[in-house]
Every structure is written in structure tokens, then in C-alpha cells.
Amino acid sequence: MRKLILSLIIAAFVLPVQANEGMWFLMHIERLNYRDMQKMGLQLTPEEIYSVNHSSLKDAIVQFDRGCTAEIISDSGLVLTNHHCGYSKIAELSTAENDYLTNGYWAANHAEELKPKSLSVRFFVRMDDVSKRILGQVNDKMSELDREAAINREIAKIQEENSEDGKYTVSVKSFYEGNEFYYFVYQDYNDVRLVGTPPASIGKFGGDTDNWEWPRHTGDFSLFRVYADKDGNPAEYSEDNVPLNPKHHLTTSLKGFEEDDFAMILGYPGRTNRWMPAGGIEQNVEYAYPAWVEASKTSMDVMKGYMDKDQSVKLDYASSYAGIANYWKNRQGMIDALKQHETADTKRKAEKKFQKWASKKSNKKYADVMPVINDYYSKTNEASQHDNYLGLLLRTRMATIPYRLGKSIGYYLEQNDAKKEELKPKLDAEIENLYEGLYVPLERDVLAAQFKLYSTKAKNIAPMVAEIADEANKTEDGWKEYLNDALQNSIFESKEKLQGFMANPDAEVLQKDPLLLLSNDLLTRYRYNSEEQKQWDNDFERAYRLMVQGMRLQNPDEKYYPDANSTLRLTYGKVISLPEDTRNDANKNYYTTLKGTVAKYQPGDAEFDMPKELIELYEKKDFGQYADKDGYLPVNFLTDNDITGGNSGSPVLNGKGELIGIAFDGNIEAMAGDVIFDDQLQRTISVDIRYVLFLIDKLAGASHIIDELTLAK
């Protein structure tokens, strides 16, 4: 539990909600938000946004690959999301000979749509409040572990009652730190195929340099399609499957928009925690995030050296590198923004007011809450630093493969011959899967660099690592030399070597394998929790839950929204500028144009190259029906919607519920947005849907895709 808490994106005290702040449950829109949304420009009814019995907007919004959002934009199951959301699947489908990630891909018909090995979308069916039912199973005398066990027993019942014999996936989640509970019913479709993607020079234009920056000029989109059986039900991949006819699909707007126009976003924001105290903010700024940043950069530097030399390696590691790079910049931006905002000081002032309220006799239940919380953070500061160094080390695949396969092989060797025969195909498949795309020289050098960093910067490190470090840290290449020797003497060095071992397996050889011993040491340390730590966690979790409960009682007239936790939410605001910026050629600083994109063009540059055909279209001003009424071709735009990670790919909708863009990023000035909502600086960066359609039609020549859409002109 400690590692889960320390990994949460931190957040600031819940202040009075701004008009554009909040990630709202759809079932609460009518009660909490509808009047405000109407005043700002919404023309839909609450029933048109969320309905259990009728088609509504929520039926067109899907969770994509469990980490992003996407939207259904045709009556044939066409799915629109970000390029970076589809990135790993596009890379998986690519080869050095057919490099779709670099060059793009457009299926001319359904038969040419490409199926990744594993990709699903999740449709939201309904939700309901089960707080009273679940909280009726617990009492204040329970330990946190007993409380959790009682809650989980009731959750299991709720899931079984609502799954309709496995037709639906049911998820029960806690909100307000365990003070409320809701269940969510979903339907998953696992046959999802790639329809089209622009080249990386468009989908990732600007690269790491422009990431989290404005002005932005990125065509961050990709297209997929959901397939079902002939009756429209979820089905595993089959050539007999047909494109899904969804309950609802979005209308796509070509009408454009103006500054101050209403804009709302529906999506699956991943994680916020806007209740976390000053101690948590300071812990992340001073200990946890600096370790994350340093360890991320260490991996990136090594990976990039290998990826630049070999296109196959680049494709195999493209998604992993992109994920590390994204959070590397995010965490550094968080550190800078939290310091600049002096967020911890703001929190501490609010906590003093809460403590004064809690000291009243009528509120004595909450009197010890803040002291317990502050004590917890002071005791776990160094542990948070350690866990981030070790966590990034464990993202290196060769650090965990021996552990994962060692357990499976060990279990296999304990069985009788009949059971071994049954287990062997599954074990062979696991070996194939874990070694796919693995490049040992890269893995070795990343691991060596991470071991050196971990063993010199973290405290209370894994015992075996500490023992090896006494010698390995004496020289620059000490860890490389150690790992070279360990690899040569390990059955886990390669898939082929491991398969050779499995032809005549020996339990003693397995148990003494140097990489397995090291991998076991790392995972054992990562999961270690002393009895003392367990008590700290118990006390902290209780205090944190009571803090949130008490703060809501302290300010009962406020409108509250629950923290993000990958459940469907709606956020609303407006199209809005940032202060004037000379780097943006647009007349107002809420949008960018293709002119600005071309101005950034640097031939041959990995981040700012672009297709010559796009430049030719710009020079001819061949924008077709996708140009703005003022003649320019829009690219990206800004709104003040409240989003976070997981919202990538979310639709940006106008007051009629029509699609005007796809959210893909935020601005670095408001990087503390998961921590404290800044009404003046908070911005969502989105791809203008007109740029998306222009690229599909004019650049890719895939007009058959345009013909699928319902267009509002």
C-alpha cells in the first residue's frame, strides 16, 4: 500500500470550485452542473449526455487499451484516438520493411485493417452509488486491513450481481479516499484493428522538445475500428467478425469555433489527488520526483544511443522510450511548477484552519488526523526516493524477466509428467512473449546504468545489490563487467539459451542462476514491508480517510467532485487563449495554423521533419473544406478544461455535442494541474478536427474514411 500511495500524482487542498474546474460524474450532471453548463453554451439535455435506457453521448466514448480515451465517430465502429495512444500497437504492427510508425498507414478497405495481438476498447454501460451498502459492512474499530477485507467481500457480491453471467465487466471503486463507493458496468470488445495513422513526423511532430509546450503543431491522432460478431456482441478476433454498429456515434463538426465558445470533454482521466497534504507535496518535490527524473533520464540516454543506430531496435523500444520520456518531462515540470506556486505553503495554511476546526470538542474525531499524516511523511521521505530509483530500474525488462519466468519454471519442475505436458505450451508461449523484441546489449547497458545510480543514490538498497556494488562501483564499467559475466552464466541471457535449458531442465541450475538471484533480490526488496511500516500505513490510511471526510464536513456548502481514477468523467469550460506569444503566428493565441507548422520545419530532424507533400499542400493553400472561414488551416487549439493523464484521445465537443477536436496534452505552465487547479493558466491542448480530416483526405487520400463520418458543416 505504501508504494501505491507514494506513486499517486500529488494534489493540493480542495478550494472553492472554479467554473471550469472539476471532473464530474455523468450521473450527477443534472443536479450539480447542468444550469452552469447551459449558461456557458450547452444545448443538450442531461439525458442526451448520460442515459441508461436510451442512446446518449456516453455510448460513443470508450476507454482505449486501458490507458487512454477514444470516441466512436461512425456507424461502422470507427474509433478516433491519439497517435501516442495507438503508438505501441502501431509499432508492434511495423517492421523495418513495413514501417507504419515512421511512414504511416491507411487501409483502403476493411480487409486491409490490421489486428494487433492485443487491443480492446471498453464501453461504459451504467453506474450507481453503493456507498451505504458497502460502508454498512465496516466500523471504526476495524483495522485498515480488516476494513479492506470486509469491503472487498461486499464488492465481490456487487460484481457478481451485475455481471449478467460474465456479459459485463463490473468495477467497484472508492471515492473521496474510501468515504463513498460506486459501481461501474462495462462491456469490452477485444477485436480492434488499425485503420490508419499519419507518419510519426505528423503524429509526433515536435517530439520531446514540444511535449507539454505551447504553441503546438502536432497531428496527434490515429484511427482504429471495433469489430463484433454478426449480432453485435463482443467476440475474439475472427475473419467472420463485422464492424460494430454502435449505439451512438459522434457527429463531426466542420463549422469551427471562436474564443469563449463552450467546450466539454468526456474521457477517462487516470489519477489526481487534490486532497494530499503539504507533507506529501514536499515529499514528492524533494525526494520522490527528483529520483524519478534522474532515473528516467539515465534510461533514455542509453536507449537512444542504441535506437539511433538500428531501426529494428528503434521500433521495438519506441513505445517504452516514449512512455519514459513523457513522464520524465512531466515530473520535472511538476517539481518546477509546485515550487513556483508554493503549493505546500498554501496547503499548510489550509491545514492549520482544519486543525483549528478539528480541535473543537464536537469535532474531536479529527483532532489527531494532521499530526499522524505529517508524521507519516517525515518517516517515509527516504523510502519514497528509494522506491522511485528502484521502480525505474525494474522497468528494465531484463531486471524482471528472470523473476517472472523463474517462478513459472520452478512450478513446472515440481509437477509430475502429466502436469508438465499440460503446462509446457503455456510456458513456451510465456517465454516467447517476454523475449519478443528484447535487445540484450541495450538491456544490459540500461541495467548497468540503473544499478550504478540506484546503488550510489538510494538508501537501504537491496542486499545483493549492495554486496555487488562494493566492487562494481570502484570502476566506471564495473556494473557492465558484472552483468556481462552474469549474462554469460545465465540461462536467461536469451530466448534460445532458455529454450535449450528447457530441453533438459535442472532445478539446481535454475536456483543458482546469477540473473535469477539478482532479479529475486530486487523484487523481494521492492515488496518488503516491515511490521513497523505496516502500522504506519494503517494509521496513515485511517487518518487520510478521516481528513477528507472532515474537510468535506468543514465546508458542507461546496460542490465536490471525486478525484480521477480512470472512470468516465465530464469536464466543461471554453475555448480560451494564453497570453500573447510571439512564437505563434496566429491572430489570437488560442489556436495554431499550418503556417506555423511549416515554419518549424527542419529537414532531416527527428522531431521537426515533415512530409514534403504536406508542405506542397500548404504552398498551394489546398485546404479544401477544412480551412477556417478566415482562410487558414487550423492545427491545434486551447481550452480551459480540467483533464489529466488518461484523457489522451478524449473528444472535445461543442455545445451541441459535436466533435471539434481531440485532447492530447497540457501546457507546462500549469504542470501542477493534478495538484492545484490554476484558473488562469490551466489549458488543454487539442488537435483541431479539421486538421485531422484534412490530413486523412488531402494528404493520405483516404476519402473513403471521410465518407463514413456524419459531418456538420
Side-chain angles (χ1 to χ4, degrees):
M1 181 60 73
R2 172 168 56 92
K3 292 180 174 67
L4 173 61
I5 293 167
L6 293 172
S7 70
L8 295 177
I9 298 175
I10 60 177
F13 193 83
V14 176
L15 300 171
V17 175
Q18 305 291 333
N20 53 337
E21 179 184 352
M23 301 174 184
W24 304 95
F25 280 157
L26 271 61
M27 69 177 290
H28 293 162
I29 292 298
E30 184 169 10
R31 176 167 58 87
L32 294 178
N33 313 104
Y34 184 55
R35 185 172 299 178
D36 187 35
M37 294 169 73
Q38 273 190 312
K39 291 177 182 178
M40 295 177 68
L42 178 68
Q43 299 177 46
L44 302 178
T45 66
E47 183 82 359
E48 289 174 308
I49 296 173
Y50 174 76
S51 174
V52 175
N53 300 314
H54 302 98
S55 168
S56 59
L57 277 184
K58 61 97 172 166
D59 296 312
I61 315 303
V62 296
Q63 189 174 35
F64 184 87
D65 203 28
R66 299 293 190 273
C68 283
T69 303
E71 46 276 0
I72 308 295
I73 59 171
S74 85
D75 60 7
S76 296
L78 193 63
V79 175
L80 179 64
T81 190
N82 287 151
H83 179 269
H84 76 261
C85 291
Y87 198 80
S88 64
K89 306 306 176 183
I90 301 165
E92 173 200 316
L93 292 165
S94 298
T95 64
E97 295 75 27
N98 295 300
D99 188 350
Y100 306 134
L101 193 64
T102 301
N103 303 320
Y105 178 79
W106 298 97
N109 50 56
H110 292 167
E112 292 186 4
E113 294 172 359
L114 305 176
K115 175 68 172 69
K117 290 181 180 177
S118 175
L119 175 59
S120 66
V121 297
R122 169 166 284 182
F123 286 85
F124 174 48
V125 179
R126 68 179 187 274
M127 65 179 290
D128 210 348
D129 186 351
V130 287
S131 301
K132 288 183 179 179
R133 174 175 172 176
I134 288 180
L135 293 176
Q137 308 301 313
V138 300
N139 59 65
D140 290 341
K141 295 180 180 179
M142 288 180 168
S143 70
E144 290 304 302
L145 285 176
D146 290 341
R147 186 178 191 275
E148 184 179 1
I151 288 171
N152 286 339
R153 286 193 294 271
E154 199 63 25
I155 284 175
K157 295 177 185 177
I158 293 169
Q159 290 173 334
E160 184 176 357
E161 292 166 9
N162 291 279
S163 70
E164 296 190 18
D165 295 325
K167 178 180 179 180
Y168 297 115
T169 298
V170 182
S171 174
V172 182
K173 293 201 172 187
S174 74
F175 297 86
Y176 302 108
E177 297 304 321
N179 287 293
E180 292 184 13
F181 291 83
Y182 292 78
Y183 77 79
F184 300 80
V185 178
Y186 303 103
Q187 191 166 35
D188 296 338
Y189 284 77
N190 297 324
D191 187 355
V192 184
R193 308 178 194 179
L194 175 66
V195 174
T197 176
S201 56
I202 290 174
K204 210 172 183 298
F205 185 81
D208 293 332
T209 299
D210 273 5
N211 193 20
W212 303 102
E213 302 286 346
W214 181 263
R216 197 71 176 275
H217 301 81
T218 309
D220 196 347
F221 78 96
S222 55
L223 289 165
F224 294 79
R225 192 183 306 279
V226 185
Y227 281 76
D229 67 17
K230 60 183 177 59
D231 298 317
N233 298 313
E236 294 305 313
Y237 172 78
S238 168
E239 292 184 0
D240 295 329
N241 287 348
V242 296
L244 176 70
N245 182 12
K247 292 180 182 178
H248 189 82
H249 72 272
L250 299 180
T251 294
T252 301
S253 174
L254 290 178
K255 295 176 290 188
F257 43 83
E258 302 287 344
E259 188 167 17
D260 294 325
D261 280 359
F262 177 81
M264 64 178 174
I265 291 175
L266 281 77
Y268 286 85
R271 177 66 65 181
T272 59
N273 188 350
R274 288 179 175 162
W275 301 90
M276 187 169 279
I281 293 170
E282 290 173 333
Q283 181 175 98
N284 281 273
V285 167
E286 301 297 333
Y287 293 89
Y289 284 178
W292 188 311
V293 169
E294 188 177 16
S296 296
K297 191 64 166 62
T298 296
S299 288
M300 288 164 58
D301 288 345
V302 178
M303 293 171 74
K304 192 172 189 307
Y306 281 99
M307 292 167 69
D308 287 347
K309 294 175 184 176
D310 189 310
Q311 185 66 10
S312 294
V313 174
K314 183 177 181 180
L315 289 172
D316 287 336
Y317 284 86
S319 180
S320 176
Y321 181 89
I324 295 171
N326 185 55
Y327 277 102
W328 160 68
K329 193 166 186 177
N330 174 282
R331 292 298 187 262
Q332 185 58 60
M334 290 280 283
I335 293 169
D336 296 340
L338 289 168
K339 287 181 176 179
Q340 182 179 349
H341 280 281
E342 298 180 337
T343 308
D345 291 340
T346 302
K347 282 292 297 181
R348 193 166 282 106
K349 291 175 184 176
E351 288 162 19
K352 286 181 179 178
K353 292 180 181 179
F354 174 74
Q355 190 62 40
K356 184 177 180 180
W357 174 87
S359 65
K360 295 178 181 178
K361 187 175 181 180
S362 58
N363 303 322
K364 64 179 182 179
K365 177 180 180 180
Y366 307 98
D368 67 340
V369 162
M370 292 314 306
V372 169
I373 288 173
N374 290 332
D375 183 55
Y376 176 84
Y377 285 122
S378 66
K379 289 175 177 175
T380 59
N381 281 331
E382 289 184 352
S384 74
Q385 183 184 58
H386 168 277
D387 292 348
N388 276 276
Y389 279 125
L390 181 53
L392 267 293
L393 189 158
L394 289 171
R395 290 188 68 161
T396 307
R397 289 166 64 187
M398 194 54 83
T400 57
I401 283 176
Y403 174 85
R404 294 173 66 180
L405 286 176
K407 287 185 68 175
S408 298
I409 296 170
Y411 177 74
Y412 169 84
L413 292 176
E414 292 171 355
Q415 309 306 309
N416 59 39
D417 290 344
K419 186 66 174 177
K420 284 180 180 177
E421 187 173 349
E422 177 189 333
L423 292 173
K424 189 63 163 56
K426 188 179 294 185
L427 181 55
D428 289 342
E430 186 179 7
I431 292 170
E432 286 283 349
N433 180 58
L434 288 176
Y435 279 91
E436 184 177 11
L438 184 140
Y439 188 59
V440 173
L442 180 151
E443 293 285 332
R444 177 202 60 209
D445 287 359
V446 172
L447 200 52
Q450 288 290 356
F451 271 128
K452 186 169 186 177
L453 182 65
Y454 172 62
S455 62
T456 54
K457 293 294 187 71
K459 296 182 179 180
N460 196 21
I461 64 176
M464 186 174 174
V465 176
E467 184 179 335
I468 298 167
D470 287 341
E471 188 65 32
N473 285 335
K474 290 179 179 179
T475 62
E476 182 67 25
D477 293 326
W479 276 106
K480 281 187 183 181
E481 293 168 2
Y482 174 82
L483 289 172
N484 270 330
D485 184 65
L487 282 162
Q488 290 173 12
N489 290 285
S490 173
I491 63 173
F492 297 99
E493 181 181 15
S494 67
K495 179 181 71 175
E496 292 74 20
K497 200 169 180 180
L498 187 55
Q499 289 170 334
F501 169 81
M502 290 304 299
N504 186 27
D506 184 320
E508 186 176 355
V509 171
L510 176 69
Q511 292 166 4
K512 293 181 178 179
D513 187 275
L515 285 186
L516 179 59
L517 292 171
L518 186 56
S519 187
N520 285 344
D521 184 57
L522 293 172
L523 270 297
T524 300
R525 175 64 186 90
Y526 187 71
R527 292 167 178 166
Y528 175 71
N529 218 0
S530 67
E531 292 303 314
E532 183 180 45
Q533 180 67 55
K534 290 175 185 177
Q535 187 61 51
W536 294 349
D537 292 345
N538 182 87
D539 296 344
F540 174 82
E541 288 165 31
R542 175 187 175 277
Y544 199 55
R545 184 177 68 256
L546 289 176
M547 180 197 75
V548 174
Q549 185 183 92
M551 286 179 174
R552 294 175 75 191
L553 289 172
Q554 184 189 8
N555 300 286
D557 296 328
E558 294 297 335
K559 284 198 304 183
Y560 293 103
Y561 57 91
D563 277 311
N565 63 352
S566 296
T567 51
L568 185 61
R569 306 296 180 88
L570 181 147
T571 170
Y572 59 95
K574 58 187 177 180
V575 177
I576 189 169
S577 292
L578 280 170
E580 186 175 346
D581 191 328
T582 56
R583 297 173 298 173
N584 192 356
D585 67 282
N587 290 331
K588 292 187 177 180
N589 198 28
Y590 70 85
Y591 66 91
T592 58
T593 72
L594 186 56
K595 178 182 178 181
T597 312
V598 173
K600 287 184 175 179
Y601 171 51
Q602 297 178 31
D605 185 272
E607 295 184 319
F608 294 100
D609 202 357
M610 59 193 302
K612 63 179 182 181
E613 295 84 358
L614 183 56
I615 298 173
E616 291 170 358
L617 286 167
Y618 166 72
E619 291 173 343
K620 294 176 183 177
K621 300 295 184 286
D622 186 8
F623 305 150
Q625 62 180 332
Y626 312 111
D628 187 83
K629 59 182 174 53
D630 291 332
Y632 63 83
L633 183 70
V635 176
N636 296 158
F637 67 99
L638 295 172
T639 63
D640 59 3
N641 295 104
D642 186 2
I643 70 168
T644 189
N647 273 119
S648 291
S650 294
V652 187
L653 307 172
N654 63 20
K656 293 182 177 181
E658 298 166 343
L659 181 65
I660 61 173
I662 320 165
F664 73 93
D665 208 354
N667 57 316
I668 201 162
E669 294 88 349
M671 190 59 74
D674 289 340
V675 177
I676 183 170
F677 188 89
D678 189 318
D679 191 48
Q680 300 302 310
L681 290 179
Q682 194 84 14
R683 297 293 183 270
T684 293
I685 304 174
S686 302
V687 191
D688 194 305
I689 197 62
R690 292 170 290 177
Y691 186 52
V692 171
L693 301 185
F694 162 79
L695 292 169
I696 294 171
D697 190 356
K698 292 290 186 176
L699 184 68
S703 59
H704 59 286
I705 293 175
I706 306 297
D707 294 339
E708 272 194 60
L709 309 179
T710 302
L711 298 177
K713 299 183 179 181

